[in-house]
Amino acid sequence: MATYSVDPAAPDEPYLAFWRERHLCTLTTLRPDGSPHVVPVGGTFDPGARLARVITNRTSAKVSHVLAAGPEGARVAVCQVAGPRWATLEGRARVRTEPERVREAERRYAERYGRTPGPNPARVVIEIEVERALGRG
């Protein structure tokens, strides 16, 4: 199996299928001192919009790291692995609080993970504008 680069706007079917399977992901953000902060998350990929999404609580460390980067967004990576297969999406993240964006992220989460997130008035979505996609599978 070779590592390959993928067009994030037009991924091949095996890559897209892997992002539809139920896998836990990791999200890597950078702390203010530049050290990586890696946490498990549920992530979704929408190649049509070139967005990866992660729902979370507005008080989480990952949210504070993204906000600290300023309006241009934070450089992040979301990754998943299953045996020898892996996929990484890299790009700029921004925290979105608009109810319609949070609902869309919740809908996509429910579709991928088979459960609807419970109500959470502090929920936000980290949207990642995907610039690079890599994988092995």
Side-chain angles (χ1 to χ4, degrees), residues 1-8 10-19 21 45 80 84-90 131-137:
M1 282 190 255
T3 299
Y4 63 99
S5 185
V6 176
D7 178 353
D12 60 31
E13 185 51 37
Y15 192 83
L16 197 50
F18 188 42
W19 277 102
E21 295 172 11
F45 178 37
Q80 64 182 18
R85 299 181 304 155
W86 61 269
T88 299
L89 302 170
E90 299 175 3
E131 298 167 354
R132 181 182 305 157
L134 303 168
R136 182 176 189 182

Side-chain angles (χ1 to χ4, degrees), residues 6-21 25 42-54 78 80 87-90 104-105 107-109 111-113 126 128-134:
V6 176
D7 178 353
D12 60 31
E13 185 51 37
Y15 192 83
L16 197 50
F18 188 42
W19 277 102
R20 286 191 293 257
E21 295 172 11
C25 301
T44 63
F45 178 37
D46 176 2
R50 284 186 73 151
L51 287 177
R53 295 177 177 93
V54 173
V78 62
Q80 64 182 18
T88 299
L89 302 170
E90 299 175 3
E104 178 64 8
R107 183 189 72 75
R108 289 178 178 276
Y109 177 95
E111 185 178 274
R112 182 172 191 199
Y113 292 100
I126 296 174
I128 303 157
E129 294 176 16
V130 179
E131 298 167 354
R132 181 182 305 157
L134 303 168

Side-chain angles (χ1 to χ4, degrees), residues 3-89:
T3 299
Y4 63 99
S5 185
V6 176
D7 178 353
D12 60 31
E13 185 51 37
Y15 192 83
L16 197 50
F18 188 42
W19 277 102
R20 286 191 293 257
E21 295 172 11
R22 189 181 191 281
H23 296 291
L24 190 61
C25 301
T26 59
L27 176 68
T28 302
T29 58
L30 297 178
R31 295 181 182 97
D33 69 2
S35 63
H37 177 254
V38 184
V39 293
V41 297
T44 63
F45 178 37
D46 176 2
R50 284 186 73 151
L51 287 177
R53 295 177 177 93
V54 173
I55 57 175
T56 189
N57 195 303
R58 75 178 71 240
T59 60
S60 71
K62 56 190 162 289
V63 166
S64 67
H65 299 156
V66 171
L67 291 174
E72 64 278 353
R75 303 283 309 158
V76 303
V78 62
C79 181
Q80 64 182 18
V81 63
R85 299 181 304 155
W86 61 269
T88 299
L89 302 170

